Amino acid sequence: MARDPSVSDGESSPSPRGEASDESDKDGLLHRRSYMKLAGTTTAAATLTGAAAAAGDDYETIEARGQTVRIGRGETFENKLIDLTTGEGFLLYVDGANATIRNVGFEGLYRGDSFMISIKAGAGDVLVENVYLGDGATKEGSSFVHGPGGVFMHPENDADVTFRRCNVQGFPNNGFYCSNTPYGGSVRFERCFGKNNGVTTFRCGSADDEIVDCVAYNDDTDYGPGYGGYGETDGRPVWVWNGGTVTIRDSHFAAGPYPYALVAGANGSPGSVDFQSGGVRGEIQRASGSTVDVASAVSSDPDLSVPDGVPTTPEEAATGEGSSDSAADSADGTDGDGLPNLLLVDGSSADATRYEFTVDGDVERSNAEGASIDDEDTIDGSTVRGSVADWKDAFRFDGDLAELTVDGPGTVLVNGDAVDPDDYGSDLPHVLEVSGDGTATSYEITVDGTIDLADDEPAAEATTVSGSTVQSSVTDGTQTFRFSGALTDVTFTDGTATITVDGEPIDPSEYGAHEILPHALVIDGTDADGPTTYALEVDGAIVKSDYRDASIDDEDVVEGRAVRGAVGNWLDAYWFDGDVVDFRLRGDAAVDVQYNARDQ
C-alpha cells in the first residue's frame, strides 16, 4: 500500500508516495472556508473496491488488506467498521475538498506502516466526524522513526479541516499531525479526545486553527507491543508551531509522565497560543520565542473525562451511536447557555441562498444538525445575515423570531418545523432614504439583497430599479426605498446627498466609490463544469456590480485595486476604470471584459 515516509520531531513533510492530488495547482488565489462552499458542490457516496459483505443494516465491515481508499471532491465515506485484526494496513486518503468521513470505527491494534487518515485537498472544506481510532497501534516492524500515526494533514493541503467527535489513542507517531499548513489550510478540533499518543495528540499551528471542547492526556499506560521510541509515554497533549496564534477554548490537558502538557514552538520556529478556558496540569513550554497566553478561566484541575458524544468503541462510531445533536451543538463552545430555540437554514445545491433574520432575544451560532460554523455569517445584536449553498447554517436563540428574509432556494426551519418567511415581517425590512441638499445629485446604490421603491413612494421618471441596484437623481426632496440584505455600494455621479438607513445617517465614503466607473468585467460560471476561483488587479478603481444580473457576494473580496472571488453556477461582475494588469483563473468560467460598457 502507499506509505507515508518517516515523521520526526522536526517539521518534516510526510506524504503517501505517488499520491498526487488533482487539486495541487497552488496559485495562492483563495484560502477561505466559504469560497468553494459557495460553488454548490454536491455530495456523492465514496466507492469501495473489494469491501466485505455488510455486517448489518447499520454499517459495513471492511477487512484491512493493505488497501488505500480515496475520498474525492464532494464524496462521503460513512458508516464503516475497518477490521484491523487481519494485521494488515489500511489508509483513508482524502484528495478532494468538500469531502466527509463520518461514522467510521477502526477495530483492533494497528500493525501497518502509515497514518490511518491522510488529507491532501484543495481549497474548500473537509469534515472528519464521529471516528474511533482508540485501539492504538504498534511500532513493531515499522520503518517510521516513531511508528505509525493516527491522522496526517499534508503540507500541500489547502482545505479547512474540521475534526468533530474523534477518539484517537495509543498512536506512537502523533494522534493528529496537522501543523504543516503553508498553503492556507486550517484545522479545527471540536469535542475530540486523545490519550497516550506519542510525540503529541493535537499538533497544529495555523492562525485559523482552534481546539474547542477537547481533552488529551497521558498516563502510565504502555502504548502497546514494540512501541519503544523515546519513552513509553513520550507525548505532549498539545504542540503548536509553524504558524499564527491557535485558539483553545473549554479544553483540558494533562502531561502525565511527560513533563509538558502544552508546547509552543520548536527548532527555531515559534508558536503562539491563546488559551481562553478549560484546564491544564503540567508544565507549559515556550520554545523559540513562542508565546502562550493563559486566561484566568483556565484551571489547574482539568476534567479528563471523554467529551459527550465521542465514540468509545468501533461499533459505536460505525453506527453513529452517541453522536447526538446536543453534543454537536455545544462543540463550537457556544452551546447557547440554555438558549432553547434552534433556527436551521438548509441550503440547496441549485443556487446560493442569502438570509437575514432578527429575534427579540439572544442569538448564537451553532453546529447542530451538522451545520457549518462560518465567520462570514454576521451577528449584529439580535440580527443575523448569512448565505448557504449545499450546506447548513444553524443558530440557537431565545425569545421569538421577529423578522425573516430569504433570497434563494434554501429552507428555514425553527425547532424542526419549516417556516414561511412571509409570516415574519416584511420581505424588505430596511428603509433607505436619500435626501437632497438643493443641488442636483445623481447616484447609484447597491445592496446584496433586493431593493425597491417604498410602497408610498411615487416612481420618479429618472429612477431605475433593477434587482439589487437603484439609479436615480434628487435635488431638494427625499426618495425612500426598502431593501433586504446589507448596503454594499453608494456611488455619486454628480453632487452629494444625505443618506439614512433605518433612520440612522451613514457615511457614503464607507460604501464603495464616488464616481461612475466606465468598464465592466464579468466572470460567468453558469456553463462551467464546476466551481471557478479567480484573482485580478486593475490600475484604477474597481467595485462590485450587478451588471448582467450578476450576484453581489460578501465572500468576494475587493482590496484596493485587487479582487479575489469564486463563482459556481452564477455570474460575478465588477465596474472598473483603467486597465486589467493581472488576471488569474482556476476553472472553466467564461470571462468578458467590456470597455465603456455604460455607453453600449
Side-chain angles (χ1 to χ4, degrees):
M1 67 178 287
R3 292 172 44 195
D4 291 309
S6 174
V7 184
S8 69
D9 273 346
E11 193 71 35
S12 60
S13 304
S15 60
R17 297 172 185 172
E19 304 282 6
S21 170
D22 59 2
E23 298 177 293
S24 60
D25 177 20
K26 304 298 177 190
D27 54 11
L29 291 185
L30 302 166
H31 302 299
R32 295 176 59 190
R33 286 185 183 271
S34 61
Y35 283 157
M36 298 310 298
K37 289 188 347 182
L38 283 173
T41 305
T42 57
T43 300
T47 300
L48 295 176
T49 302
D57 293 336
D58 294 329
Y59 61 85
E60 181 181 24
T61 298
I62 303 171
E63 291 186 353
R65 301 188 314 277
Q67 67 267 51
T68 295
V69 175
R70 288 179 175 270
I71 304 169
R73 173 175 289 276
E75 293 181 337
T76 297
F77 181 89
E78 63 185 348
N79 296 108
K80 310 294 182 186
L81 189 146
I82 312 302
D83 181 6
L84 301 175
T85 62
T86 61
E88 300 293 333
F90 187 92
L91 173 66
L92 287 179
Y93 185 71
V94 181
D95 62 0
N98 303 322
T100 300
I101 297 173
R102 178 186 292 119
N103 299 342
V104 177
F106 292 82
E107 183 176 44
L109 183 70
Y110 181 56
R111 299 177 181 275
D113 200 15
S114 73
F115 284 83
M116 303 298 297
I117 299 174
S118 290
I119 300 171
K120 182 183 178 183
D125 296 302
V126 172
L127 173 63
V128 181
E129 181 177 45
N130 207 57
V131 171
Y132 178 83
L133 281 162
D135 287 353
T138 175
K139 185 183 178 182
E140 194 171 58
S142 173
S143 63
F144 281 24
V145 170
H146 298 300
V151 179
F152 179 68
M153 196 165 77
H154 288 255
E156 294 86 357
N157 175 69
D158 200 14
D160 297 296
V161 182
T162 297
F163 295 98
R164 181 181 298 154
R165 301 192 306 276
C166 295
N167 187 335
V168 181
Q169 300 183 53
F171 279 85
N173 187 0
N174 293 270
F176 298 93
Y177 190 140
C178 303
S179 55
N180 288 317
T181 55
Y183 281 93
S186 66
V187 62
R188 176 184 171 92
F189 301 101
E190 298 177 357
R191 225 171 181 85
C192 291
F193 177 77
K195 178 181 175 182
N196 290 340
N197 292 302
V199 185
T200 186
T201 290
F202 299 112
R203 182 167 177 166
C204 54
S206 165
D208 295 324
D209 292 356
E210 294 181 296
I211 303 174
V212 179
D213 206 4
C214 293
V215 173
Y217 69 95
N218 300 324
D219 58 19
D220 292 323
T221 303
D222 192 340
Y223 283 120
Y227 169 61
Y230 296 137
E232 297 304 316
T233 51
D234 176 25
R236 316 147 180 84
V238 181
W239 193 6
V240 171
W241 65 332
N242 195 37
T245 300
V246 172
T247 300
I248 301 176
R249 299 197 309 270
D250 300 327
S251 297
H252 299 265
F253 314 112
Y258 187 79
Y260 299 113
L262 190 159
V263 176
N267 300 343
S269 177
S272 178
V273 177
D274 181 11
F275 197 166
Q276 298 178 356
S277 55
V280 60
R281 183 169 63 241
E283 295 182 45
I284 295 175
Q285 182 184 36
R286 299 166 174 85
S288 306
S290 300
T291 60
V292 179
D293 295 326
V294 181
S296 59
V298 178
S299 77
S300 59
D301 185 20
D303 179 0
L304 302 179
S305 57
V306 178
D308 291 342
V310 173
T312 56
T313 67
E315 293 80 6
E316 188 177 289
T319 60
E321 294 178 5
S323 57
S324 64
D325 291 337
S326 60
D329 191 23
S330 60
D332 62 351
T334 57
D335 58 7
D337 294 327
L339 299 180
N341 302 313
L342 176 67
L343 185 146
L344 182 74
V345 186
D346 191 355
S348 168
S349 60
D351 200 355
T353 297
R354 294 174 181 82
Y355 61 87
E356 177 180 336
F357 68 89
T358 300
V359 299
D360 57 12
D362 294 328
V363 61
E364 295 182 352
R365 295 180 177 90
S366 168
N367 56 9
E369 303 284 350
S372 63
I373 299 289
D374 305 314
D375 292 337
E376 292 79 13
D377 303 328
T378 61
I379 299 178
D380 183 5
S382 296
T383 298
V384 178
R385 299 182 182 91
S387 60
V388 294
D390 62 336
W391 68 93
K392 303 173 183 178
D393 284 352
F395 303 87
R396 287 283 183 188
F397 71 96
D398 60 4
D400 294 320
L401 179 63
E403 301 277 348
L404 174 64
T405 302
V406 179
D407 182 11
T411 302
V412 175
L413 300 94
V414 175
N415 297 329
D417 296 324
V419 299
D420 185 351
D422 292 340
D423 296 336
Y424 294 89
S426 170
D427 289 341
L428 305 175
H430 303 300
V431 177
L432 183 147
E433 292 184 334
V434 182
S435 301
D437 60 3
T439 59
T441 298
S442 297
Y443 63 87
E444 178 179 296
I445 293 174
T446 300
V447 300
D448 65 1
T450 301
I451 190 169
D452 205 347
L453 283 164
D455 292 339
D456 56 354
E457 181 76 12
E461 183 176 343
T463 299
T464 301
V465 177
S466 175
S468 59
T469 297
V470 58
Q471 295 175 331
S472 192
S473 59
V474 64
T475 300
D476 52 11
T478 298
Q479 294 179 348
T480 304
F481 303 88
R482 299 195 70 93
F483 70 95
S484 63
L487 182 64
T488 60
D489 186 79
V490 177
T491 300
F492 291 114
T493 307
D494 300 300
T496 60
T498 298
I499 298 178
T500 63
V501 174
D502 295 334
E504 296 293 330
I506 67 164
D507 181 357
S509 66
E510 298 178 356
Y511 297 87
H514 291 280
E515 59 179 330
I516 295 293
L517 303 177
H519 313 314
L521 187 149
V522 178
I523 299 96
D524 185 353
T526 55
D527 294 326
D529 292 335
T532 296
T533 59
Y534 60 86
L536 65 100
E537 185 174 355
V538 300
D539 58 8
I542 186 166
V543 297
K544 299 176 184 178
S545 168
D546 68 345
Y547 179 65
R548 286 173 45 185
D549 295 325
S551 66
I552 293 183
D553 306 318
D554 288 341
E555 291 78 12
D556 301 329
V557 178
V558 178
E559 296 178 342
R561 299 177 178 181
V563 175
R564 302 192 309 274
V567 293
N569 57 344
W570 66 88
L571 287 75
D572 281 355
Y574 301 88
W575 294 115
F576 72 98
D577 63 2
D579 292 310
V580 178
V581 296
D582 185 40
F583 191 90
R584 289 173 287 166
L585 188 80
R586 185 167 67 187
D588 299 326
V591 179
D592 182 20
V593 179
Q594 295 187 14
Y595 287 92
N596 300 314
R598 296 182 185 272
D599 297 334
Q600 298 178 18

